[in-house]
Amino acid sequence: MANAQAVATRRERWFETNYNDAGLKKCRDCGEFFQPTEENFYKATAPDGLDCRCRPCAIAKVTRNRDKTKTAHRIRLKKYGITPEQFEEMVELQGGRCLACWNKPGKRGLYVDHCHRTGRVRGLLCHNCNTALGLVKDKTATLKRMISYLEGKA
């Protein structure tokens, strides 16, 4: 019972901190008060089920995250010594598919696969194939044993 009271008290304090007397919610980023609506601001993990940002700040956050993702992609390409244009050419040559399993990648897209010894780019792989090669440390002997195991020869 004491635990339920503590949770209720925390919840009340949260509402006092995040809402004003008129029922407007305070934006986490700009500090302005706004009228949230479930249609535009739904967020399941928030105590009230609504996002903590006003519409302009929410849009700005999405844009910042999108820009960060693009920048991170460019940095990764530079690490492997290829340009975004070369990456797109590789995607086109592979038909937009993973070079190992020939599946179309999910929302994560294709990853640059490279030899860890030489640094040479081998191709573009989906997340699962790239992870699998990383887990076996690119050892063909391990992969051959795994294939034997799957075929029931081991």
Side-chain angles (χ1 to χ4, degrees):
M1 185 66 177
N3 191 29
Q5 261 183 329
V7 169
T9 305
R10 275 198 311 270
R11 189 172 172 82
E12 285 173 24
R13 269 187 279 156
W14 184 89
F15 275 96
E16 288 171 8
T17 306
N18 291 286
Y19 279 89
N20 68 9
D21 295 334
L24 299 176
K25 191 168 183 176
K26 186 176 183 179
C27 175
R28 170 185 280 175
D29 292 346
C30 69
E32 296 291 320
F33 286 94
F34 65 97
Q35 178 64 52
T37 60
E38 288 185 27
E39 181 180 300
N40 295 329
F41 295 92
Y42 178 74
K43 185 173 181 182
T45 57
D48 61 352
L50 301 171
D51 195 5
C52 58
R53 291 176 180 85
C54 64
R55 191 92 179 136
C57 289
I59 291 169
K61 181 177 188 275
V62 168
T63 304
R64 278 192 312 270
N65 287 347
R66 191 177 303 129
D67 290 344
K68 282 182 194 174
T69 302
K70 285 180 182 177
T71 301
H73 180 67
R74 283 193 195 101
I75 289 169
R76 279 193 300 275
L77 292 182
K78 189 174 183 179
K79 174 182 172 183
Y80 302 122
I82 61 175
T83 65
E85 293 78 21
Q86 289 171 318
F87 178 85
E88 290 306 319
E89 186 179 324
M90 291 172 73
V91 170
E92 196 174 310
L93 285 171
Q94 293 181 201
R97 296 178 179 273
C98 171
L99 204 53
C101 69
W102 285 104
N103 288 328
K104 287 211 176 228
K107 63 182 176 182
R108 291 180 172 173
L110 292 168
Y111 291 75
V112 177
D113 176 47
H114 67 288
C115 175
H116 289 265
R117 272 196 339 265
T118 65
R120 185 183 64 84
V121 173
R122 294 185 284 217
L124 305 178
L125 302 178
C126 68
H127 173 73
N128 290 342
C129 290
N130 191 47
T131 301
L133 282 181
L135 289 172
V136 297
K137 297 180 176 38
D138 296 345
K139 294 180 182 172
T140 55
T142 302
L143 289 169
K144 287 176 185 174
R145 283 194 303 275
M146 291 175 80
I147 290 167
S148 292
Y149 169 77
L150 288 173
E151 292 175 344
K153 297 176 187 173

